[in-house]
Amino acid sequence: MLEDASAFIGMKECYTRDIHLDNLCTDVKFSVRGITMKRSSRDYLCYCGLNCKICTIVTTIPQDATRLRNTLVKNGMDVFGQEIYEGFSEFWDVLKKMSELAETCTLCQGTCGDPDCKIRVCAREKGVEVCALCDEYPCDLIREYDKKYHVLIRYNDRIREIGLDPWLAEMEELAARGITFFDLMPDDDSTTEE
């Protein structure tokens, strides 16, 4: 159970509430090329220890884009926008795609992100779901990436401490509260020292 999320992710605030593992599979529906599929919490797992469930590409951006799109439709911009603004059609297409990201994003273990990500390549070669489960963790590679993302070592240490499924449940809880990856980042550019 998540008693103090700030203890492992370094949040500015403390979020507390019980998490029940029976809620671990959220059955989020998404569509790829017209085929509707379901995603479980495990599908949101990134090899490095990040979690797509709290990524803004999957959470806030689609919601915000949908709200903006709905506001613009309410005000007639879907009809008059291209007459008023040059390039509006392209903007409208991008806004539509952004509003669908939660359903269309392939996530890290699919093809989202850098295809040459060294952690992704390494994890796939070693056949591990996440760095925390690797016999060589923590390695120089994860330490280097942690300098950019600032939470990878903490996330992976937490996975090793409580196990993958309970950690995924904690991520579900954060996502349910509207917490995103960027909310958990330190305010400064400090790095994790190990």
Side-chain angles (χ1 to χ4, degrees), residues 27-39:
D27 289 337
V28 174
K29 292 182 181 180
F30 69 104
S31 180
V32 177
R33 296 189 178 120
I35 300 170
T36 300
M37 306 170 88
K38 291 184 179 182
R39 289 184 173 156

Side-chain angles (χ1 to χ4, degrees), residues 2-188:
L2 179 62
E3 294 176 6
D4 183 359
S6 64
F8 83 97
I9 54 181
M11 288 190 289
K12 297 168 214 103
E13 302 175 42
C14 174
Y15 300 94
T16 58
R17 197 176 122 204
D18 289 351
I19 297 174
H20 303 283
L21 290 179
D22 56 344
N23 294 329
L24 193 56
C25 183
T26 58
D27 289 337
V28 174
K29 292 182 181 180
F30 69 104
S31 180
V32 177
R33 296 189 178 120
I35 300 170
T36 300
M37 306 170 88
K38 291 184 179 182
R39 289 184 173 156
S40 71
S41 294
R42 204 172 211 97
D43 294 327
Y44 291 92
L45 178 65
C46 299
Y47 295 107
C48 64
L50 292 178
N51 189 291
C52 294
K53 190 75 172 194
I54 61 171
C55 174
T56 57
I57 291 173
V58 176
T59 57
T60 58
I61 290 173
Q63 293 170 1
D64 291 344
T66 298
R67 268 194 296 278
L68 177 57
R69 194 170 157 80
N70 290 341
T71 298
L72 292 172
V73 167
K74 182 179 176 182
N75 291 286
M77 292 302 287
D78 57 326
V79 177
F80 301 108
Q82 61 189 4
E83 294 175 23
I84 299 170
Y85 299 103
E86 184 177 329
F88 184 83
S89 294
E90 292 82 7
F91 162 76
W92 197 248
D93 289 342
V94 169
L95 190 59
K96 182 178 188 298
K97 288 176 183 175
M98 290 175 80
S99 68
E100 297 169 346
L101 280 171
E103 292 86 32
T104 60
C105 182
T106 58
L107 309 176
C108 174
Q109 295 201 22
T111 57
C112 186
D114 179 5
D116 298 320
C117 169
K118 292 177 183 176
I119 289 182
R120 179 186 290 173
V121 170
C122 179
R124 285 182 174 172
E125 285 174 358
K126 292 180 179 179
V128 296
E129 280 183 282
V130 63
C131 290
L133 304 179
C134 181
D135 292 336
E136 297 175 32
Y137 174 83
C139 66
D140 291 340
L141 186 57
I142 193 75
R143 284 187 182 106
E144 185 63 31
Y145 272 67
D146 189 61
K147 290 177 184 176
K148 178 179 179 183
Y149 293 101
H150 308 288
V151 295
L152 299 181
I153 298 293
R154 283 179 283 191
Y155 282 9
N156 280 282
D157 286 350
R158 183 69 174 165
I159 292 168
R160 288 178 83 106
E161 177 186 337
I162 66 171
L164 184 56
D165 287 337
W167 181 80
L168 288 169
E170 288 181 351
M171 292 294 106
E172 284 288 333
E173 179 64 23
L174 293 174
R177 293 177 182 176
I179 305 296
T180 69
F181 170 73
F182 293 106
D183 296 324
L184 307 177
M185 292 289 287
D187 287 334
D188 60 285

